[in-house]
């Protein structure tokens, strides 16, 4: 197995994503949008990469797909197991890294990721793995946050406080169609882009920011990096809210996201 220079980063991510669970309330509807975008069919073998609490996995299983889902976080996988149990649908849930998928070549008909593989530090490794386990003629489909919109801007802001390790890509780079096209390269055909909308009810941008402080690992890490400097933390909070205000209307944060689909050649 080639050396992975990002082992420490992934070990930290494995722990920090544990707080993400409540945010699944906002990724639940986008999951239906992605599963429809991927046109998941009964009996297809589907892989959900970076599954979190299993919103995409369960949605695909409800359409009759044979689902496998993988995530770094054991805590989120436990939530995914509970969601699968409630739906009374069998699925395989595994702890793992999307840069090193524990599956044989061409194991799946559809490989999907909703705001998941975008957090891998090496996009070229993650996409090579996702395409390796996809059968020829199978579909890859994913949703990602663009750098110029709410979540992408937030993640880029937090990266100024906690820069990614040298050589790691910014997650928001997956939100630009041209970059995605280059990363997929000639290994796929029929590349198509679409967009979906994500809605997060909130009483104000400040309430949205306060909720992010409970469940968003990148913001929590940015705050921790300020070592209790209350003035600096207050400035960061204001900056977060000044981004959020542009997306706030009628007690809701609304933002578009990029969707990609393609067929493996
Ligand atoms: C923003 S959450 C999205 C979760 C879920 N797909 C959803 O839409 O609710 C990002 C997820 O990616 C997972 N993740 C981050 N890096 C990963 C990696 N290298 N391999 C697998 N999963 C990863 C995190 O543990 C987390 O569950």
């Amino acid at each position: 197995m080639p050396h992975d220079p990002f082992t420490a980063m992934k070990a930290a991510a494995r722990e920090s994503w544990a707080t993400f669970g409540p945010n699944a309330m906002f990724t639940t509807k986008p999951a239906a949008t992605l599963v429809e975008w991927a046109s998941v069919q009964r009996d297809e073998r589907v892989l959900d990469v970076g599954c979190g609490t299993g919103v995409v996995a369960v949605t695909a299983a409800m359409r009759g797909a044979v689902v496998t889902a993988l995530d770094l976080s054991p805590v989120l996988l436990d939530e995914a197991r509970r969601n699968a149990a409630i739906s009374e649908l069998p699925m395989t849930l595994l702890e793992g890294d999307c840069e090193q998928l524990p599956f044989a070549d061409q194991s799946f008909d559809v490989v999907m990721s909703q705001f998941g593989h975008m957090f891998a530090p090496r996009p070229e490794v993650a996409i090579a793995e996702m395409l390796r386990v996809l059968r020829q003629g199978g579909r890859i489909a994913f949703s990602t946050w663009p750098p110029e919109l709410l979540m992408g801007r937030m993640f880029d802001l937090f990266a100024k406080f906690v820069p990614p390790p040298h050589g790691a890509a910014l997650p928001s780079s997956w939100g630009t169609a041209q970059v995605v096209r280059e990363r997929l390269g000639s290994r796929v055909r029929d590349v198509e882009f679409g967009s979906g909308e994500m809605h997060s009810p909130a009483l104000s941008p400040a309430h949205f920011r306060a909720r992010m402080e409970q469940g968003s690992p990148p913001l929590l890490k940015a705050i921790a990096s300020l070592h209790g400097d209350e003035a600096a933390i207050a400035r960061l909070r204001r900056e977060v809210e000044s981004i959020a205000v542009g997306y706030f209307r009628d007690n809701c944060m609304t933002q578009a996201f990029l969707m990609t689909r393609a067929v493996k050649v």
Side-chain angles (χ1 to χ4, degrees), residues 68-185:
T68 302
L70 170 137
D71 200 279
L72 270 187
S73 163
V75 171
L76 295 182
L77 283 167
D78 279 345
E79 291 192 42
R81 268 183 209 104
R82 283 195 289 277
N83 281 329
I86 292 167
S87 63
E88 298 184 6
L89 291 165
M91 69 184 65
T92 305
L93 292 155
L94 293 173
E95 186 178 329
D97 173 9
C98 67
E99 291 190 350
Q100 202 178 315
L101 292 171
F103 310 111
D105 297 358
Q106 307 216 38
S107 299
F108 298 98
D109 303 302
V110 184
V111 172
M112 287 193 287
S113 183
Q114 175 169 274
F115 317 131
H117 79 292
M118 63 185 291
F119 291 97
R122 297 174 295 181
E124 70 289 357
V125 178
I127 203 70
E129 277 295 89
M130 289 164 74
L131 289 171
R132 177 183 66 75
V133 302
L134 182 63
R135 74 163 166 83
Q136 224 175 345
R139 284 121 47 222
I140 185 166
F142 46 82
S143 298
T144 47
W145 285 309
E148 70 280 12
L149 298 179
L150 178 65
M151 294 312 292
R153 289 175 67 187
M154 293 284 183
F155 285 125
D156 289 353
L157 170 65
F158 305 149
K160 286 190 201 146
F161 291 82
V162 186
H166 179 70
L170 285 175
S172 63
S173 60
W174 274 109
T176 302
Q178 187 51 33
V179 173
V180 172
R181 198 181 279 284
E182 284 163 17
R183 286 178 180 168
L184 286 167

